[in-house]
Every structure is written in structure tokens, then in C-alpha cells.
């Protein structure tokens, strides 16, 4: 459990004088119940937070300048009201039976906004997010992703269907 306050955020960062992406590894949440990150800033890691074989809530956090903002697999996770910016991948996941609610986040200014390399399932909900202005793709499906994932009710920076489709690989 790491719970800061709106005006007293907990910061996880590099200890180097000139920090850069991948300076440290990650916050690992593994085989745990009811983990909570709230009002945290996580920066300059390989992965800001990895959640595996656990249940966790990540709320009101900022993930910036990491290789991956958050990665999860085989978990029950709620990612709510967070900002993902200046990461290589904002969110990366392989569902492997996961249940995920990714709601009301800002996923903007990363190289790839969301990266499901494979095995994503319909038990994942992505709604009311602002997913836009990522430099390569908003959503970058891996070659092993065989199941359609639903991304309705998100804002893509445009209402033009062609522009929205162009943001998916």
C-alpha cells in the first residue's frame, strides 16, 4: 500500500543526478490481495508498476518517463484517474484470465498508448479514457492478439472515424 494525498504525492524516482528512462526496475505487486497505489508519481523506471497474480487498485497516479507505465497479467486490476505520459508504452498487458477496469485515465504523449501483445480478453474494460497524441499508435496490438478488445466510449483526440482507425495497429 502506498497512499499519498492530492497535495502530498509519494514519488518513486531515479536516484541519479540526471535521471533517464530505465534507471531502476519497477514496483512489483505479485501474489498479493488488495494492493493500492494512490496519489503516487512513478518515473524513470523500466516499468512503473507491474501487477501479476494479484488484485490491485491504481488510482490518481502519474506514470511518466518510464519504458512501460503499468504492466499487468493474470490479475484483477482497476486503473482509475491516472496520467500516463512520456513513456515508451503507457499500458502493457497480457490478460491471461485478467479482469481489468481501465477508466477515466489520460494516456497521452507516449510512443505507444496501449500495448496488448497477445492474449487480451473480453474481461477487460477500457472506457472514458483520453487516449490521444501518442507518437506512433494509440493502441498497438501485438501479432499474437487473437481476440477483439473493445475500446468504445473513449476520446481519441478526434471524432473523425478515419483518424481514430489510423491510431490502431
Amino acid at each position: 500500500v502506498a497512499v499519498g494525498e492530492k497535495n502530498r504525492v509519494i514519488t518513486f524516482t531515479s536516484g541519479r543526478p540526471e535521471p533517464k528512462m530505465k534507471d531502476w526496475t519497477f514496483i512489483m505487486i505479485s501474489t498479493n490481495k488488495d494492493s493500492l497505489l494512490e496519489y503516487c508519481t512513478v518515473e524513470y523506471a523500466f516499468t512503473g508498476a507491474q501487477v501479476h497474480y494479484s488484485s490491485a487498485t491504481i488510482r490518481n497516479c502519474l506514470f511518466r518517463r518510464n519504458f512501460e507505465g503499468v504492466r499487468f497479467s493474470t490479475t484483477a486490476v482497476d486503473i482509475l484517474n491516472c496520467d500516463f505520459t512520456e513513456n515508451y508504452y503507457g499500458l502493457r498487458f497480457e490478460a491471461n484470465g485478467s479482469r481489468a477496469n481501465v477508466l477515466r485515465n489520460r494516456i497521452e504523449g507516449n510512443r505507444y498508448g496501449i500495448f496488448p501483445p497477445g492474449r487480451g480478453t473480453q474481461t477487460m474494460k477500457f472506457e472514458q479514457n483520453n487516449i490521444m497524441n501518442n507518437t506512433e499508435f494509440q493502441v498497438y496490438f501485438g501479432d499474437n492478439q487473437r481476440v477483439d478488445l473493445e475500446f468504445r466510449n473513449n476520446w481519441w483526440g478526434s471524432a473523425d472515424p478515419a483518424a481514430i482507425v489510423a491510431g490502431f495497429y
Side-chain angles (χ1 to χ4, degrees):
V1 173
V3 177
E5 298 173 6
K6 188 173 186 173
N7 296 323
R8 293 185 58 202
V9 174
I10 298 170
T11 300
F12 298 88
T13 190
S14 170
R16 296 180 187 247
E18 294 183 30
K20 63 184 184 314
M21 188 181 288
K22 299 184 189 177
D23 274 355
W24 57 286
T25 51
F26 40 73
I27 298 168
M28 173 62 80
I29 300 171
S30 181
T31 61
N32 199 14
K33 285 186 173 182
D34 304 323
S35 294
L36 175 61
L37 294 177
E38 185 168 23
Y39 291 112
C40 296
T41 294
V42 186
E43 58 189 9
Y44 301 112
F46 182 86
T47 306
Q50 290 199 17
V51 184
H52 306 287
Y53 304 103
S54 302
S55 63
T57 299
I58 301 171
R59 183 172 44 230
N60 300 313
C61 292
L62 168 61
F63 294 89
R64 68 178 173 206
R65 302 180 191 120
N66 304 292
F67 183 71
E68 303 166 330
V70 170
R71 177 195 283 199
F72 62 88
S73 174
T74 319
T75 190
V77 65
D78 295 315
I79 302 172
L80 313 166
N81 304 313
C82 294
D83 287 327
F84 296 87
T85 189
E86 299 178 63
N87 304 290
Y88 191 86
Y89 298 111
L91 290 168
R92 178 183 174 164
F93 62 88
E94 294 195 37
N96 292 333
S98 291
R99 184 224 23 99
N101 291 307
V102 180
L103 309 171
R104 299 177 304 280
N105 300 285
R106 183 178 68 94
I107 304 166
E108 182 175 4
N110 305 284
R111 184 163 185 177
Y112 300 97
I114 299 172
F115 178 43
R119 297 184 293 250
T121 66
Q122 300 273 335
T123 59
M124 309 183 75
K125 185 176 184 179
F126 293 87
E127 288 189 5
Q128 301 173 17
N129 300 290
N130 291 332
I131 306 168
M132 59 188 183
N133 300 323
N134 295 292
T135 58
E136 294 292 325
F137 290 99
Q138 312 310 329
V139 179
Y140 181 72
F141 287 101
D143 293 335
N144 293 321
Q145 180 59 44
R146 305 283 186 234
V147 176
D148 289 339
L149 299 177
E150 191 166 315
F151 287 96
R152 293 182 192 179
N153 302 317
N154 293 289
W155 175 247
W156 303 97
S158 173
D160 175 21
I164 294 168
V165 168
F168 282 75
Y169 172 87

